[in-house]
């Protein structure tokens, strides 16, 4: 499965994609084993309520950095050169948060072996991730109910049926979060305050919002390129600069730049610009129209 996924990517960076993918699989397996063994009272995942709350930012940064690594791994291999520093930073955060989770698990269970400590750390991260997903889905369910109420047809039957479906969806989300919180309470060493579950959920949502806000500010530090800037780089025939712009501005329209590169007749520039079948069709149409036979042959 992983080979099929990786090799169907355009110019794939297979090794980073595989590393990220198997990292997720490894975390799921280790985390599942850790939760199971903790539920059998072989070791504890958390010490007390304070330890549960301290694990939240570690868990959030861990799965966010892993998701970022997986996204980077799906980029084209030549674009990765521009994303290399970001990949290194995400990998550092991922490994660093996992190391912190190991230290936290060891403090809860000083007598554990290395393998058991790894399972306990992965269990902490997996249980925290499930709690965060459940906590985020609850306000989304409320939003779903509000939007559905605004746009539901006015007949009483359809309104009642729609409300019933939304209440069922919301109750499932709340039930899933309560199940995870109960699991956290049952796999602690000392005592986790059961009444703090709603505080835990609210703090998870707030932390997720802060991460999104911080990510937005971080993205703003990378100056967004314009089509005019891309065209200037194309005119100067600088493939490295083109890849850098595309890597950090994946949604930037490239049609005008492809047309300009086709008119210039620069093969290296076209190789850096063309990313999709639509880009290729645009370049071929322009080359055929202008009678650039060398470019037509190159695009074939």
């Amino acid at each position: 499965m992983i080979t099929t996924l990786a090799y169907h990517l355009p110019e794939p960076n297979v090794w980073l994609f595989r590393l990220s993918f198997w990292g997720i699989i490894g975390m799921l397996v280790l985390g599942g084993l850790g939760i199971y063994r903790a539920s059998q009272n072989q070791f504890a995942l958390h010490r007390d309520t304070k330890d549960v709350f301290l694990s939240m930012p570690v868990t959030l940064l861990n799965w966010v950095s892993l998701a970022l690594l997986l996204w980077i791994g799906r980029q084209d291999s030549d674009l990765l050169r521009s994303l290399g520093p970001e990949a290194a930073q995400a990998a550092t955060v991922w490994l660093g948060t996992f190391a912190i989770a190991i230290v936290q698990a060891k403090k809860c269970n000083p007598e554990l072996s290395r393998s058991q400590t790894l399972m306990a750390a992965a269990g902490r991260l997996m249980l925290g991730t499930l709690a965060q997903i459940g906590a985020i889905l609850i306000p989304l369910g409320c939003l779903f109910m509000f939007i559905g109420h605004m746009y539901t047809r006015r007949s009483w039957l359809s309104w009642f049926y729609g409300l019933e479906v939304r209440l069922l969806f919301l109750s499932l989300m709340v039930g899933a979060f309560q199940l995870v919180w109960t699991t956290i309470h049952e796999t602690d060493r000392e005592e986790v305050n059961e009444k703090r579950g709603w505080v835990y959920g609210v703090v998870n949502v707030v932390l997720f919002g802060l991460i999104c806000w911080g990510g937005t500010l971080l993205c703003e530090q990378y100056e967004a390129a314009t089509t005019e800037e891309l065209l200037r780089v194309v005119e100067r025939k600088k493939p490295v600069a083109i890849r850098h712009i595309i890597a950090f501005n994946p949604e930037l329209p490239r049609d005008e730049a492809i047309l300009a590169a086709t008119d210039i007749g620069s093969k290296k520039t076209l190789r850096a610009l063309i990313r999709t079948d639509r880009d290729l069709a645009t370049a071929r149409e322009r080359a055929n129209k202008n009678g650039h036979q060398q470019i037509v042959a190159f695009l074939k």
Side-chain angles (χ1 to χ4, degrees):
M1 177 181 175
I2 181 62
T3 304
T4 303
L5 286 173
Y7 280 102
H8 273 75
L9 297 174
E11 300 180 16
N13 180 28
V14 180
W15 65 268
L16 183 56
F17 182 81
R18 283 180 171 177
L19 181 64
S20 305
F21 183 88
W22 289 114
I24 294 175
I25 297 298
M27 288 290 293
L28 290 175
V29 173
L30 278 177
L33 288 173
I35 295 173
Y36 172 76
R37 293 200 172 186
S39 65
Q40 300 298 313
N41 295 322
Q42 296 183 20
F43 50 74
L45 295 182
H46 300 90
R47 177 178 294 277
D48 50 21
T49 308
K50 180 181 177 181
D51 185 44
V52 172
F53 278 80
L54 287 175
S55 70
M56 281 195 296
V58 176
T59 303
L60 187 59
L61 288 174
N62 182 267
W63 68 261
V64 166
S65 60
L66 189 58
L68 180 60
L69 266 180
L70 190 61
W71 178 81
I72 293 175
R74 293 198 77 251
Q75 306 307 306
D76 293 353
S77 296
D78 55 344
L79 293 183
L80 190 72
R81 298 171 186 173
S82 299
L83 293 170
E86 284 69 29
Q89 291 168 9
T92 301
V93 173
W94 181 47
L95 294 174
T97 50
F98 189 71
I100 293 174
I102 291 175
V103 172
Q104 291 174 329
K106 192 66 175 178
K107 283 185 177 180
C108 293
N109 309 274
E111 73 285 353
L112 288 187
S113 63
R114 291 182 180 179
S115 60
Q116 289 178 321
T117 303
L118 286 176
M119 282 188 281
R124 286 173 64 100
L125 293 174
M126 184 173 175
L127 201 57
T129 301
L130 292 175
Q132 287 169 355
I133 292 174
I136 294 166
L137 286 178
I138 290 173
L140 289 179
C142 295
L143 182 63
F144 171 68
M145 287 190 63
F146 175 76
I147 294 175
H149 174 71
M150 297 293 293
Y151 292 98
T152 301
R153 290 179 297 177
R154 293 301 177 183
S155 67
W156 283 102
L157 184 61
S158 62
W159 181 85
F160 180 77
Y161 177 75
L163 179 63
E164 189 178 46
V165 171
R166 295 182 191 97
L167 285 174
L168 175 62
F169 174 77
L170 185 59
S171 63
L172 288 175
M173 296 302 101
V174 174
F177 179 77
Q178 288 178 340
L179 176 63
V180 174
W181 178 251
T182 302
T183 305
I184 292 174
H185 176 263
E186 292 175 349
T187 56
D188 68 307
R189 177 170 289 279
E190 295 179 2
E191 183 180 0
V192 173
N193 191 337
E194 287 187 274
K195 296 181 181 180
R196 295 292 180 88
W198 69 272
V199 180
Y200 183 70
V202 170
V203 175
N204 265 310
V205 174
V206 172
L207 276 179
F208 181 77
L210 289 175
I211 287 289
C212 293
W213 177 67
T216 303
L217 293 180
L218 187 63
C219 290
E220 289 177 355
Q221 291 184 4
Y222 298 99
E223 185 176 357
T226 62
T227 305
E228 290 72 21
E229 292 174 350
L230 183 60
L231 283 172
R232 284 197 294 269
V233 175
V234 168
E235 291 172 357
R236 296 172 185 171
K237 301 179 181 180
K238 293 185 175 181
V240 176
I242 291 172
R243 293 187 181 97
H244 180 82
I245 290 176
I246 293 175
F248 289 97
N249 302 270
E251 302 300 326
L252 184 68
R254 297 188 295 272
D255 291 352
E256 293 184 24
I258 291 172
L259 296 178
T262 306
D263 293 340
I264 295 172
S266 175
K267 298 178 182 179
K268 292 183 178 180
T269 303
L270 281 173
R271 185 178 289 111
L273 280 170
I274 295 175
R275 299 286 157 184
T276 64
D277 292 338
R278 183 174 178 274
D279 294 341
L280 183 60
T282 301
R284 281 179 176 172
E285 183 180 353
R286 186 71 165 197
N288 286 320
K289 181 179 179 180
N290 293 341
H292 289 310
Q293 296 303 320
Q294 290 184 348
I295 297 298
V296 171
F298 167 73
L299 294 175
K300 287 182 180 179

